[in-house]
Amino acid sequence: MTLYAAYGSNLDPRQMLLRAPHSPHRGTGWLRGWRLTFGGEEIGWEGAVATLAEDDGHSVFVSIYDLTRVDENALDEWEGVTTDLYRKIRVRVETLDGSSLCYVYVLNSFEGGLPSPRYLEIMVNAAREAGAPDDYINFLMQFSTSRIDEID
C-alpha cells in the first residue's frame, strides 16, 4: 500500500470514500515547508484549483490514506495524472506519531488565479469534516475568490 496525503477538497472523508473506497484513513498531519495555493485558472474551470508550492514557514493540513493499488490507480485517473494535469511527488508529513513519507498531487500549471466561491466553500467544508483546527479553517476562508459563480 502507498500513503497519500490529501489536501483541498480531498480532505472530505466522504469524497475519499467514493474515490478510494478500499483505502483506510490513517490520520491527519501537517506538510511543513509547503503552502496551499491555486493555479490552473487558464485551463477552463470555474476558477483556479488547489495545489501546493514549496514555501518555508508555511504548513498545509492533510489527511493520510493508505491506498490500495486499485484505489491509487483510480485516484491518479481522477486527479489527472494520466493526462499530465497533476503530478505525484513524495513529501514528508508530520503526525503525532512521527513523520511519514507520503505522496501528494501537485498541479502542472502556473500558480495564480482565484478559486470559485463554490470550490472554496467545498474546501472549507472538507477541512472541517477532516478535523482541521479552527485557525486552518480561518486561513482557508481568507482566500479571495473569483466572481464567476455570479455570472449568468
Side-chain angles (χ1 to χ4, degrees):
M1 294 204 176
T2 303
L3 293 179
Y4 162 62
Y7 66 94
S9 66
N10 278 354
L11 283 173
D12 186 334
R14 288 177 303 247
Q15 179 169 291
M16 283 302 295
L17 185 59
L18 293 172
R19 293 183 180 176
H22 309 99
S23 300
H25 182 254
R26 293 291 186 220
T28 60
W30 291 93
L31 181 56
R32 306 279 184 209
W34 292 80
R35 68 180 156 79
L36 180 73
T37 188
F38 295 90
E41 187 175 52
E42 74 283 355
I43 297 171
W45 295 298
E46 296 174 352
V49 294
T51 190
L52 299 170
E54 285 188 84
D55 196 337
D56 291 337
H58 289 84
S59 297
V60 178
F61 181 81
V62 297
S63 276
I64 301 170
Y65 289 86
D66 202 352
L67 294 183
T68 65
R69 174 62 65 195
V70 169
D71 284 351
E72 181 180 357
N73 291 339
L75 198 55
D76 285 353
E77 183 79 25
W78 180 264
E79 294 296 334
V81 170
T82 58
T83 61
D84 204 34
L85 181 63
Y86 278 85
R87 69 187 181 283
K88 289 175 14 180
I89 62 170
R90 294 265 182 210
V91 294
R92 193 148 300 274
V93 175
E94 294 180 21
T95 70
L96 292 176
D97 298 325
S99 66
S100 297
L101 192 59
C102 302
Y103 78 81
V104 294
Y105 294 101
V106 178
L107 188 66
N108 283 325
S109 184
F110 294 103
E111 180 180 356
L114 301 173
S116 71
R118 183 172 67 90
Y119 183 59
L120 187 60
E121 181 180 1
I122 288 168
M123 288 181 52
V124 168
N125 289 334
R128 281 189 181 115
E129 289 295 320
D134 289 340
D135 60 340
Y136 192 75
I137 302 292
N138 292 334
F139 161 75
L140 291 176
M141 294 184 346
Q142 298 303 309
F143 279 101
S144 297
T145 60
S146 65
R147 304 317 266 161
I148 197 158
D149 285 357
E150 298 176 3
I151 299 172
D152 284 324

